[in-house]
């Protein structure tokens, strides 16, 4: 029996989620009020990804007696999670749309994306798989270090582009006006950083699943 089937599912689903999102919509974000192909594709990728996470947690629990039944439950979970994500994105957009700086807007949206994806995994482990929260163990330090280091790297990239934006505004804004230049340049730099953002959430989501799994193993050792 393969005891890591859930890990394979999460790794494959996360990589495909990141790749397809980057290729089709750049970032899987449901911009409320823009019901176009990008909105629908973002819905689809979140639906499939969260559904795959549900299948993975059931594989982890060795609780699949009928794949059609589990896939139906995964579809319900994916639909509910995607609806919730759409609402969160709508609220996020209300706060970021006034910034006029696409770099800051994208940074906030990607933080929300990271929090939501991680929260979905935590929900599955502690409410579906019924795992508790153990005290911190040294074996979790590796996962915490990877997540912390990845976030620090990403924050560094954001600051780099913000500094680059300030320099570019000082140099070129006179040609098109300050506000228009700020919008154009921040949009350009946000697109450049989107590939890094995709790698960030792929690494963090996979590491988060492995960390939650390790935490559960520690609980089993205690009992």
């Amino acid at each position: 029996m393969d005891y890591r089937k859930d890990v394979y599912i999460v790794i494959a689903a996360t990589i495909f989620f990141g790749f397809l999102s980057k290729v089709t919509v750049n970032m899987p974000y449901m911009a409320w009020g823009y019901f176009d192909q990008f909105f629908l594709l973002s819905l689809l990728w979140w639906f499939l990804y969260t559904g795959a996470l549900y299948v993975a947690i059931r594989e982890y629990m060795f609780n699949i007696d009928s794949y059609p039944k589990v896939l139906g439950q995964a579809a319900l979970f994916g639909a509910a999670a995607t609806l919730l994500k759409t609402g969160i994105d709508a609220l996020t957009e209300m706060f970021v749309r006034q910034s006029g700086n696409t770099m800051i807007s994208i940074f906030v949206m990607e933080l929300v994306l990271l929090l939501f994806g991680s929260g979905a995994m935590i929900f599955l482990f502690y409410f579906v798989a019924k795992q508790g929260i153990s005290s911190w163990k040294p074996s979790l330090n590796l996962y915490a270090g990877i997540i912390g280091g990845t976030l620090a790297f990403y924050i560094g990239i954001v600051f780099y582009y913000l500094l680059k934006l300030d320099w570019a505004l000082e140099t070129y804004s006179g040609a098109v006006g300050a506000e228009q230049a700020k919008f154009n340049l921040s949009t350009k730099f946000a697109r450049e950083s989107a590939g890094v953002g995709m790698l960030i959430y792929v690494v963090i989501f996979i590491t988060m699943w492995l960390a939650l799994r390790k935490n559960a193993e520690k609980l089993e050792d205690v009992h």
Side-chain angles (χ1 to χ4, degrees), residues 105-174:
S105 298
I106 292 296
F107 176 62
V108 173
M109 292 171 187
E110 287 187 332
L111 284 181
V112 170
L113 184 156
L114 288 170
L115 289 172
F116 182 82
S118 300
M121 293 180 181
I122 292 170
F123 176 87
L124 289 170
F125 266 91
Y126 296 120
F127 292 96
V128 177
K130 305 297 185 183
Q131 296 292 341
I133 299 176
S134 69
S135 58
W136 190 264
K137 297 295 190 298
S139 59
L140 297 175
N141 290 343
L142 173 63
Y143 305 102
I146 293 173
I147 292 174
T150 304
L151 283 174
F153 174 75
Y154 179 56
I155 291 171
I157 291 293
V158 171
F159 273 108
Y160 164 75
Y161 275 105
L162 287 175
L163 291 173
K164 189 176 179 180
L165 174 62
D166 288 340
W167 175 84
L169 285 174
E170 291 178 2
T171 306
Y172 301 111
S173 62

Side-chain angles (χ1 to χ4, degrees), residues 58-80:
R58 293 293 295 271
E59 288 284 6
Y60 168 78
M61 297 164 61
F62 300 107
N63 187 20
I64 294 185
D65 51 352
S66 168
Y67 273 101
K69 179 181 177 181
V70 170
L71 290 175
Q73 294 169 345
L76 291 176
F77 177 79

Side-chain angles (χ1 to χ4, degrees), residues 13-27:
T14 303
I15 291 174
F16 277 108
F17 175 65
F19 174 76
L20 292 173
S21 296
K22 178 65 179 68
V23 170
T24 60
V25 297
N26 214 22
M27 188 182 75

Side-chain angles (χ1 to χ4, degrees), residues 194-208:
V196 176
M198 180 270 289
L199 293 174
I200 295 301
Y201 64 75
V202 166
V203 170
I204 288 180
F205 285 166
I206 292 173
T207 306
M208 176 64 71

